[in-house]
Amino acid sequence: MSTNRPDAIIDMNNLTRQFTRYRKDGHRWRRRRETLTAVDGMSCRIDRGTAVGYIGANGAGKSTTIKMLTGILVPTAGTVRTCGLDPVRQRRELAGRIGVVFGQRSQLWWDLPLHESFSILAAIHRLEPDVARKRTHELVEQLEMADTLATPVRQLSLGQRMRAEVAAALLHSPELVILDEPTIGLDVLSKQRLREFLRAERADRGTTLLLTTHDMGDIERLCGRVLVVDHGRLVYDGSLAGLGRPSALSGSWWSTWPSRHRTSTTCPRPACWPVRATGCDNGWPSIRSRPRPHSYSPPSRTGPRYATCRSKNPRSKT
């Protein structure tokens, strides 16, 4: 059982979250109630100053777990402590000690210049003007954003906006940084710059990093520990090298993955993903989407069926 220790920045004990949904039951006015368990009895502890990768298939429960860690969702059962606080009851105090980046959400003001968004966030976190100015200058210099400070956020490219999102999450120097797919849609150079910055930030300030991504390159370069979740359950907790052992994820979707890919450098992929392996590229299984459906070709306008129509139409060519 997980215990609340002072060196644990995240402490989950039998954490569970369920959702209720209604579906039609074959009758016009009747609906059937179903209970969906997104997170099922998860117990885990993450120590301060560590970098942890949190991976799994789409719908496995990763984003739901993050929302409970940050106080957005209330757990159905179990307990969770983030930075030693109750995320729901002490959500306002917790917001000043964590930074969160959602790859498909923005905490910047769309129509304002970037530097004004930083000023508003500094005021929200009640930073002293000198401290806010110094921290903003440091982030702008390290993330190479000097040329975009006067540009409205809506005019930034995806790579520029993601760097600005990371800077906004780190503006108040949080103890814990949670990144939910921060490199989605970024090019190779933008990914590399962001990875280098996160490594330097963790080395200089001892920031704890929780990274959720489908890009195994992020996990390999940033994280020393990997958590794998499958259907809401924690199925693996260990190093990235140990993830390739066949016994690491026995009884889960790992057993359905072809044995030729089960090496210490192989990226596991759930069988429920709509892809199939076609070989290995740089040690990781390369994938190919399912074949596209055959394109529609209209029927031929030839034959005796159309002969009468052509003869009656004066414009038709013989």
Side-chain angles (χ1 to χ4, degrees), residues 24-44:
K24 291 186 178 180
D25 197 16
H27 192 271
R28 183 175 181 180
W29 306 107
R30 187 181 303 165
R31 293 192 303 169
R32 178 164 45 92
R33 179 176 177 177
E34 294 181 351
T35 300
L36 174 65
T37 303
V39 179
D40 189 6
M42 188 175 298
S43 298
C44 177

Side-chain angles (χ1 to χ4, degrees), residues 215-227:
D215 189 344
M216 294 303 296
D218 295 340
I219 302 293
E220 186 178 15
R221 290 169 176 80
L222 294 173
C223 304
R225 179 183 174 191
V226 180
L227 304 177

